[in-house]
Amino acid sequence: MKSWNIGVVGLATLAVIVAGSYAPDGVMVGVGIVAAAATGIGWPHFLAVPAKKTLAAVIALSGMGSAVAAAYAPAPGFLDYVPAFIAAGVIAVFIVQLVRGTGQAQRLESTLGSCAGVLLSCLGAGWIASVRFNGVQEMVLVAGLSAAVALLSGLLRWPDRIVAPLGIAAAGLVAPLAGLVFSNISVAAAAVVGVVMGSVLLSFRRMVTLRPGRLNLAAVLGMGVAPVWAVGSLCYFIDKLLIY
């Protein structure tokens, strides 16, 4: 049931991202700000760590800054400022842990998990960079379709050992078909896109199945948005390094 709810949120997020890529300039910035906020609010709840509000602010603000920077950074360095926001977010996480004082519970889990949340929140700026990049214009659509197939596979209430290879294979098959229909991406390159997208998204499904207990709305929202938003950088770098 947890996987189903999170998968639906991920599919909705993916639809908004793909639709935003075809919208006028500035819409993707708004999408990025909302996605970073959702990741920031929900990720500490999914981890069930202390200091949720403070860590949520750190994760959200880091992602928002990366999204805005990716939208207005001069070409071709669309993501040049993202590492700075990641570093600032990680430093802020450590400062929060220091302010909490010694002897606090779950300090290691909170630190490592929140740093991962900062990374996920900031990497989503790759979607914005993909829209601005003069590579394969349909790359966001092809990546979105392969990611959607992986998320749909994750909705199946089957064991991970079956769902994972099935979803990766399906995403790897759909991406070349989408590439042939919507763009001139080669079959091999499109297959790489699908396999990478499927592998990353389905690995987060494993995190959900391993987590004990029920998830509140914030945790479902954060876990549904975070991985879908984060794979934007994969979309951008595959387009830039492998295809373009």
Side-chain angles (χ1 to χ4, degrees), residues 1-239:
M1 200 57 192
K2 292 186 294 184
S3 299
W4 192 88
N5 292 331
I6 291 172
V8 170
V9 173
L11 287 169
T13 303
L14 191 61
V16 172
I17 291 172
V18 174
S21 68
Y22 290 93
D25 294 341
V27 173
M28 280 299 292
V29 180
V31 172
I33 291 174
V34 173
T39 301
I41 293 171
W43 191 253
H45 283 272
F46 178 79
L47 298 177
V49 295
K52 291 181 177 63
K53 294 181 179 179
T54 307
L55 293 173
V58 170
I59 295 171
L61 290 175
S62 300
M64 291 176 183
S66 296
V68 173
Y72 297 104
F78 304 115
L79 298 183
D80 282 356
Y81 298 102
V82 172
F85 284 100
I86 294 175
V90 170
I91 292 172
V93 168
F94 277 88
I95 291 175
V96 170
Q97 300 303 327
L98 289 174
V99 171
R100 289 179 63 203
T102 58
Q104 297 296 323
Q106 294 181 293
R107 182 182 298 278
L108 180 60
E109 297 90 336
S110 179
T111 302
L112 296 179
S114 299
C115 289
V118 169
L119 186 63
L120 294 173
S121 184
C122 292
L123 287 179
W127 286 116
I128 299 174
S130 295
V131 174
R132 296 186 62 198
F133 182 55
N134 293 323
V136 179
Q137 295 300 317
E138 298 82 5
M139 182 61 180
V140 173
L141 178 59
V142 173
L145 289 173
S146 62
V149 171
L151 291 173
L152 288 171
S153 300
L155 296 180
L156 297 173
R157 297 181 183 179
W158 296 348
D160 290 329
R161 65 180 181 275
I162 298 175
V163 173
L166 177 64
I168 294 171
L173 290 174
V174 167
L177 293 176
L180 291 173
V181 174
F182 298 108
S183 71
N184 58 353
I185 302 177
S186 67
V187 172
V192 171
V193 174
V195 170
V196 171
M197 289 286 179
S199 300
V200 173
L201 292 176
L202 288 168
S203 67
F204 280 89
R205 182 185 189 272
R206 181 60 176 168
M207 290 180 59
V208 175
T209 57
L210 288 175
R211 187 190 186 279
R214 296 178 60 87
L215 299 178
N216 59 19
L217 179 60
V220 170
L221 181 65
M223 193 57 178
V225 173
V228 174
W229 179 238
V231 294
S233 287
L234 292 175
C235 174
Y236 171 71
F237 284 115
I238 291 174
D239 188 7

